[in-house]
Amino acid sequence: MYLSKVMVHWKWIENPYKLHKALWQLFPYRDGQKRDFQFRVEQYQKGIGALVLLQSEQEPINADVAMIMASKSFKPNIETGSTIRFKLRANPVKTIKDKHGRLTKKGEPKKCRVPLLREEDQINWLQRKLEGKATLQSIQVQDEKPLYFYKESEDRRGQIKPVCFEGVLSIDNAEAFSQMLQTGIGAAKGMGCGMLSLAPVG
């Protein structure tokens, strides 16, 4: 995998979906392929752009809308029983039936995602995602500003309410945890949620 710092041009950062499209341009000649990168916006700089931490299976290439500031190949050393620090911006949600009673094209009740707002529920959500892979040892939860988006293909507007988890966890199953590290955690990965960052304890 590759870990990169990327500066995305300010014209591409107002809408999270547009920022996602800008990052795709770092991986040309991949039309129709499945996304194999994750990202997290680390800093917004007014009139300049957004500094993004990018984790990808392939090495990114500079694009007109996004410049690679630094990039390196990395293979985290993950062992069952080890303890490690982590950071995760996530979108903890639960799925409920549509309160307006709308139906899908198949005539089934529509379902929608709603955010988990209580810290206890957010931590429980993360524990369920980690089950069989890792166990939380300590954790801090920080609410973040809502992200407002517009999805042009569906002419749909909405928002998500991300939170930032930081703490320490122990690895229960190195193989399963490594797979999760590659795929991310939870929903809204196209809006910068789900990427798990690791660092040694101490």
Side-chain angles (χ1 to χ4, degrees):
M1 292 192 291
Y2 292 86
L3 191 63
S4 309
K5 288 185 178 180
V6 179
M7 180 62 72
V8 179
H9 192 279
W10 66 272
K11 288 185 177 180
W12 288 75
I13 67 174
E14 288 186 2
N15 179 6
Y17 274 108
K18 194 171 182 180
L19 189 151
H20 183 218
K21 287 183 177 180
L23 293 174
W24 260 114
Q25 295 186 42
L26 298 171
F27 306 96
Y29 317 117
R30 298 194 59 205
D31 291 347
Q33 293 187 31
K34 187 177 179 181
R35 184 189 68 237
D36 58 2
F37 65 84
Q38 303 169 62
F39 69 96
R40 182 173 65 240
V41 176
E42 297 287 85
Q43 184 181 14
Y44 289 99
Q45 298 181 18
K46 190 174 181 180
I48 299 176
L51 182 63
V52 175
L53 188 63
L54 176 73
Q55 178 184 299
S56 59
E57 290 295 316
Q58 298 187 30
E59 186 174 8
I61 300 172
N62 276 322
D64 290 341
V65 299
M67 179 180 294
I68 301 165
M69 312 299 289
S71 185
K72 65 178 181 179
S73 174
F74 84 108
K75 184 177 181 180
N77 183 23
I78 297 170
E79 297 180 355
T80 298
S82 62
T83 302
I84 199 163
R85 295 194 62 82
F86 75 94
K87 179 177 181 179
L88 168 71
R89 175 176 292 133
N91 180 37
V93 294
K94 64 179 178 179
T95 302
I96 62 172
K97 289 184 179 179
D98 181 74
K99 65 180 179 181
H100 301 295
R102 292 176 294 185
L103 302 177
T104 66
K105 291 180 180 179
K106 295 181 179 179
E108 300 171 348
K110 273 193 172 182
K111 294 181 180 180
C112 59
R113 292 169 173 167
V114 295
L116 297 174
L117 302 178
R118 296 172 60 240
E119 183 174 302
E120 180 182 359
D121 293 334
Q122 294 166 348
I123 293 174
N124 288 337
W125 173 89
L126 180 57
Q127 288 176 324
R128 289 193 298 272
K129 295 294 182 183
L130 294 174
E131 189 173 355
K133 307 173 187 72
T135 301
L136 292 174
Q137 300 297 324
S138 66
I139 189 167
Q140 292 181 322
V141 184
Q142 180 66 50
D143 288 331
E144 297 196 348
K145 292 181 180 179
L147 279 177
Y148 298 92
F149 66 86
Y150 172 63
K151 196 168 186 178
E152 189 174 357
S153 62
E154 301 176 5
D155 192 25
R156 177 170 64 90
R157 298 181 185 275
Q159 67 169 319
I160 64 170
K161 296 183 178 179
V163 300
C164 183
F165 297 105
E166 292 191 68
V168 176
L169 53 78
S170 57
I171 309 296
D172 299 328
N173 184 318
E175 184 177 352
F177 187 86
S178 296
Q179 180 62 33
M180 183 179 64
L181 183 65
Q182 292 179 322
T183 58
I185 298 177
K189 295 183 182 72
M191 286 182 274
C193 294
M195 189 178 85
L196 188 63
S197 298
L198 306 177
V201 173

